[in-house]
Amino acid sequence: MLTVFFLVKFTKKPLRFFGLIGIATFSVGALIVLYLIADRLFFDIALGDRPALLLSSLLVVLGVQIFALGLVGEIIIFTHAKDIKEYTIEKILN
């Protein structure tokens, strides 16, 4: 069901799908990084033994990669789908 929804909705514009997921993932990771930086600067809490640092780094990198995947998909669609024509229904006959 998810595959059919994806193919119908995002075949021509994959950046809309992957960009949204990538930006959301990147944003969550960046917010965690900002929280950890504030903890380190203001409360002098060590970061080396906290798994949140690894998680936030992973989310930031994963967000960039997902966004880049959408961008590559957009480039592929742009180069290969130039010849594909969209057909619209002009008139419905009863």
Side-chain angles (χ1 to χ4, degrees):
M1 194 69 167
L2 200 65
T3 305
V4 172
F5 174 74
F6 178 77
L7 288 175
V8 168
K9 204 78 162 143
F10 301 108
T11 301
K12 296 276 185 176
K13 300 287 181 185
L15 188 59
R16 291 183 185 170
F17 179 75
F18 289 109
L20 182 66
I21 293 173
I23 288 173
T25 306
F26 178 83
S27 298
V28 169
L31 287 174
I32 296 172
V33 165
L34 290 175
Y35 170 74
L36 291 173
I37 289 172
D39 263 0
R40 177 68 180 143
L41 292 177
F42 300 123
F43 302 113
D44 202 31
I45 298 173
L47 294 178
D49 56 347
R50 297 181 74 178
L53 181 64
L54 184 62
L55 174 68
S56 62
S57 303
L58 175 75
L59 287 174
V60 167
V61 171
L62 186 65
V64 170
Q65 286 182 346
I66 291 173
F67 186 82
L69 181 68
L71 192 60
V72 168
E74 192 81 18
I75 291 170
I76 290 172
I77 292 295
F78 179 73
T79 57
H80 292 296
K82 286 188 273 188
D83 303 328
I84 296 175
K85 296 178 183 174
E86 286 190 31
Y87 297 101
T88 57
I89 298 173
E90 183 178 317
K91 186 178 182 183
I92 297 176
L93 301 174
N94 290 329

